[in-house]
Amino acid sequence: MVSCQKKENTNSASAAPENIISLTQAQYKNAQIQTAEASMRNLTSTLRVNGIIDVPPQNMVSVSMPLGGYLKSTRLLPGMHIVKGEVIATLEDQQYINLQQDYLATRAKLIYAQKEYERQRDLNKSQASSDKVYQMAEAEYQNLRIALSALTEKLKLICINPSKLSEGNISKSVNIYAPISGFVSKVNVNIGKYVNPTDVLFELVNPDDIHLNLKVFEKDVTRLTVGQKLFAFTNSQPDQKHPCEIILISKDLSTEDHTVEVHCHFNDYDKTLLPGMYMNAEIELKNNQVPAIPENSVVNYEGKDYIFVMKDSLHYELLPITIAVQSEGWISITQPELLNNKKIVTKGAYTLLMQMKNKAEEE
């Protein structure tokens, strides 16, 4: 019994750790193992993100009528092209007539009030008129000037030129003109509908300055810079790459998905790209010099990545790693300290893995 107990203790003490593979001289010779230390290299990785095509606020216009009215006519349809300054709708209402009437009446009164003011001023200078009469004439003149100025601005709100208005061209209808050139994105009214001042009749978009709004996770934002180049493409045409440049990186982090908005400008405007369209993007990330090993050094076992580190010519240790960047046949890992002053198996790594796997199955 004592003899058997001593034998079991000896086997337990000499058992190698599970992550150490031991080879015989014959196995080492057949495996043709090669090793090398990690070398410093500049690796380039690609960050893949997605987003949508957007337009800046100054290129999107909501058209409304400040005084309200009934829509008399419009030819606009969603997607239609428009030119700045062209008539896009006509509205009519009784209040337009009243406004023009008030303007013309006030203008006529102002002419008389101005003459009366000047007459009273001259009389007051010669003491032929009292100060009170003169001051009343001055106040009436000033009040009418203010009223006419206010009516002038109201007429401009409904696109009527006050300088061309006369008693012979009073109109019950007014035109709405396109404030920008571009496309119609929405039409919210129909003929005969009454629209309030707060109602949006049309929404117009100028796509000349469209940009790409990307969603980037917070862990990747620090790797991006303004001016960085990228390529964007749609799901339907993945081979058609659109070169872009990062123009703005938002400082606001979304609490829902922990992403940051990154705005990019297209180098060349493509009319097939429309606001709201989903796009993918590939951003090249250049890292500083990092310790790197050849791709052949890494073996994958049960969904995890490993490397073999040489202890001596017949003993090798299996270490788990996490790949950080893989580019042009080289790999950097998130645990670079594992590579310090160590010889990594660059050829024969899978042979060692098979040897270890077979040994585990035999046991």
Side-chain angles (χ1 to χ4, degrees), residues 308-323:
F308 280 99
V309 176
M310 187 179 76
K311 310 295 286 184
D312 56 51
S313 60
L314 299 180
H315 296 86
Y316 300 87
E317 181 180 6
L318 183 69
L319 298 178
I321 62 165
T322 301
I323 296 177

Side-chain angles (χ1 to χ4, degrees), residues 97-130:
I97 301 175
N98 296 337
L99 183 58
Q100 296 170 80
Q101 179 183 359
D102 292 343
Y103 174 82
L104 292 174
T106 303
R107 189 171 67 180
K109 290 179 181 179
L110 179 62
I111 295 174
Y112 170 78
Q114 181 180 3
K115 292 180 179 180
E116 179 64 18
Y117 162 70
E118 292 173 350
R119 182 166 53 251
Q120 293 297 330
R121 181 187 59 188
D122 295 339
L123 291 174
N124 184 260
K125 286 182 179 179
S126 61
Q127 301 297 319
S129 174
S130 66

Side-chain angles (χ1 to χ4, degrees), residues 23 37 40 69-70 92 106-107 217 219 267 270 282 288 304 311 313:
L23 302 179
E37 293 187 1
M40 302 300 291
Y70 292 92
E92 59 182 16
T106 303
R107 189 171 67 180
F217 286 104
K219 64 182 181 66
N267 292 352
D270 189 336
E282 294 180 347
N288 296 327
K304 297 181 180 179
K311 310 295 286 184
S313 60

Side-chain angles (χ1 to χ4, degrees), residues 246-263:
I246 296 177
I247 58 174
L248 177 65
I249 300 175
S250 174
K251 304 301 181 182
D252 186 21
L253 181 66
S254 171
T255 56
E256 295 180 0
D257 51 8
H258 287 269
T259 59
V260 170
E261 292 186 355
V262 176
H263 299 272

Side-chain angles (χ1 to χ4, degrees), residues 177-210:
Y177 301 92
I180 61 172
S181 297
F183 295 90
V184 181
S185 61
K186 290 183 181 179
V187 176
N188 301 322
V189 290
N190 53 270
I191 303 300
K193 182 177 180 179
Y194 182 84
V195 293
N196 295 302
T198 56
D199 294 339
V200 176
L201 282 67
F202 314 104
E203 291 187 10
L204 312 178
V205 176
N206 180 2
D208 291 345
D209 194 26
I210 62 172

